[in-house]
């Protein structure tokens, strides 16, 4: 049975251009830190990828440090900043929420956006140097966050601002300089690159401390031989992902899917439907249902979606994002995420809606019985 893959926010298939770049780097070999010809060739490939990834966000390649992924990039930004106080929006990814035991959450509104008044009050309540972490787009709901407004508040209080742009990259036009953030995290496998590679952009003039020490690689901020094949694939994916026109057009399919869901199941809730969102992402809840059961039933019908974040060791857990928005457990517990990507087709909408209607009919008696 063919799989209808609608979980691109978890990971999107590797692009052919990225595969070719990975293979070429592996065939050439060489260590970028070596001074002989093979090392110089490897260094050239590494720096080309740095330029390609930096171009995706309109940044200076000199400010880009490669990491093992988005999680490490977030940790390097927040822990490496040396700020004794770390604040984060209550809807951040677990890699931010768990970065330090004393990190402080900032509430969000019922619309799923950062409560700017609460941020201002929290920063005013403590004079210690702080850093605030705010994602550009939420990975579960797709709702866009007020990063520019948060940046202005941070500046008034002398705080740094870190932006997790991992879900936004390749889906929204990005200009890190215009956005004005101090740090920005990226991840390869979210844009069609290989897994196991990410990057942190550091604004000029900002000093960080390494959290992984060793050799002098990556401006002495990330010790260890660089994952050159992964980085080359990341660069190639970034080059292709910079053309976001097709991704922007996915909003038409997203809206058609949501309209079909509401027609088939009027009791369904589309989280953030009236908010600015990523064009590819839909968070749909069936009140009284269990998200785990919905995901499994859709999987049996050949449709791959997820519930919450994909970084929970294969477990379906209650969404802290929806809880932070104040959604009742009876709604939040039945929420799934549908996300389109570069391999999606119009037929995927029809396949999902057919599976959705079948799933809703099958699970309704179970919900009543429970």
């Amino acid at each position: 049975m063919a799989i209808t893959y609608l979980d691109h926010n978890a990971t999107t298939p590797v692009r052919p251009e990225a595969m070719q770049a990975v293979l070429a780097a592996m065939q050439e070999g060489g260590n970028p830190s070596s001074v002989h010809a093979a090392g110089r060739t490897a260094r050239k490939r590494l720096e080309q990828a740095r330029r390609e990834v930096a171009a995706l966000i309109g940044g200076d390649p000199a400010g880009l440090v490669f990491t093992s992924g988005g999680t490490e990039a977030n940790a390097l930004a927040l822990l490496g900043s040396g700020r004794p106080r770390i604040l984060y929006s209550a809807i951040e990814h677990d890699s931010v929420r768990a970065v330090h035991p004393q990190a402080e959450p900032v509430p969000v509104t019922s619309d799923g956006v950062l409560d700017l008044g609460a941020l201002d009050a929290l920063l005013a309540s403590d004079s210690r140097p702080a850093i605030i972490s705010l994602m550009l787009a939420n990975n579960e709901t797709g709702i866009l966050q007020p990063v520019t407004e948060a940046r202005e508040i941070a500046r008034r209080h002398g705080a740094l601002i870190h932006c997790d742009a991992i879900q936004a990259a390749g889906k929204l036009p990005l200009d890190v300089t215009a956005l004005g953030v101090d740090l920005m995290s990226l991840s390869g496998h979210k844009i069609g690159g290989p897994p196991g590679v990410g990057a942190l952009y550091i604004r000029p003039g900002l000093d960080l401390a390494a959290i992984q020490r060793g050799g002098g690689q990556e401006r002495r901020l990330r010790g260890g031989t660089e994952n050159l094949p992964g980085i080359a694939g990341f660069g190639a994916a970034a080059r292709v992902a910079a053309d976001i026109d097709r991704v922007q057009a996915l909003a038409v399919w997203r809206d058609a899917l949501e309209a079909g869901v509401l027609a088939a199941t009027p009791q369904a809730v589309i989280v953030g439907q009236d908010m600015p969102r990523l064009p590819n992402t839909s968070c749909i809840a069936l009140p009284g249902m269990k998200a785990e059961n919905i995901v499994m039933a859709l999987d049996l019908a050949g449709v791959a979606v997820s519930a919450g974040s994909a970084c929970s060791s294969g477990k379906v857990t209650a969404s802290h994002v929806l809880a932070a928005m104040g959604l009742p457990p009876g709604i939040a517990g039945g929420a799934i995420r549908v996300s389109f990507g570069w391999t999606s087709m119009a037929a995927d909408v029809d396949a999902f809606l057919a599976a959705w209607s079948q799933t809703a009919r099958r699970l309704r008696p179970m919900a009543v019985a429970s």
Side-chain angles (χ1 to χ4, degrees), residues 273-367:
Q273 185 175 23
D274 298 324
M275 298 296 294
R277 291 182 290 163
L278 291 175
N280 76 313
T281 304
S282 181
C283 181
I284 305 167
L286 267 182
M289 303 290 188
K290 292 183 178 180
E292 182 175 10
N293 292 339
I294 299 173
V295 170
M296 290 190 296
L298 290 173
D299 186 43
L300 290 172
V303 176
V305 300
S306 65
S309 173
C311 301
S312 302
S313 300
K315 298 178 181 178
V316 177
T317 57
S319 168
H320 71 274
V321 172
L322 302 184
M325 293 174 63
L327 267 69
I331 295 177
I336 65 166
R337 179 186 66 192
V338 180
S339 49
F340 295 94
W342 72 273
T343 61
S344 297
M345 302 176 291
D348 293 345
V349 175
D350 296 330
F352 175 86
L353 291 175
W356 176 265
S357 296
Q358 175 186 340
T359 296
R361 287 194 300 269
R362 286 181 55 197
L363 294 182
R364 188 175 296 116
M366 296 171 56

Side-chain angles (χ1 to χ4, degrees), residues 119-358:
L119 173 63
D120 196 15
L122 279 168
L123 287 172
S125 70
D126 190 329
S127 62
R128 288 179 298 161
I131 183 170
I132 169 74
S133 185
L134 178 61
M135 53 178 38
L136 190 55
N138 185 260
N139 52 302
E140 294 186 29
T141 66
I143 295 172
L144 307 187
Q145 298 301 308
V147 174
T148 301
E149 293 88 341
R151 177 202 68 198
E152 292 305 312
I153 294 172
R155 283 180 175 172
R156 287 205 304 270
H157 294 280
L160 299 177
I161 184 161
H162 161 251
C163 180
D164 177 343
I166 289 169
Q167 285 295 345
K171 299 168 189 167
L172 299 175
L174 288 181
D175 186 331
V176 68
T177 303
L179 201 58
V181 296
D182 298 293
L183 301 141
M184 178 177 282
S185 298
L186 301 167
S187 179
H189 74 109
K190 304 294 188 181
I191 62 169
V197 61
L200 178 68
Y201 182 81
I202 307 163
R203 72 159 169 79
L206 179 62
D207 292 327
L208 290 187
I211 61 173
Q212 177 171 310
R213 297 175 176 83
Q217 296 90 347
E218 296 303 295
R219 295 170 43 189
R220 298 189 178 277
L221 285 173
R222 208 270 177 179
T225 300
E226 295 93 343
N227 171 16
L228 183 59
I231 289 170
F234 189 8
R239 185 177 66 249
V240 180
D243 181 4
I244 64 170
D245 289 346
R246 184 174 183 273
V247 177
Q248 292 285 298
L250 293 177
V252 175
W253 295 348
R254 180 202 65 193
D255 294 346
L257 183 144
E258 291 176 354
V261 164
L262 293 174
T265 50
Q267 73 275 28
V269 176
I270 311 297
V271 180
Q273 185 175 23
D274 298 324
M275 298 296 294
R277 291 182 290 163
L278 291 175
N280 76 313
T281 304
S282 181
C283 181
I284 305 167
L286 267 182
M289 303 290 188
K290 292 183 178 180
E292 182 175 10
N293 292 339
I294 299 173
V295 170
M296 290 190 296
L298 290 173
D299 186 43
L300 290 172
V303 176
V305 300
S306 65
S309 173
C311 301
S312 302
S313 300
K315 298 178 181 178
V316 177
T317 57
S319 168
H320 71 274
V321 172
L322 302 184
M325 293 174 63
L327 267 69
I331 295 177
I336 65 166
R337 179 186 66 192
V338 180
S339 49
F340 295 94
W342 72 273
T343 61
S344 297
M345 302 176 291
D348 293 345
V349 175
D350 296 330
F352 175 86
L353 291 175
W356 176 265
S357 296
Q358 175 186 340

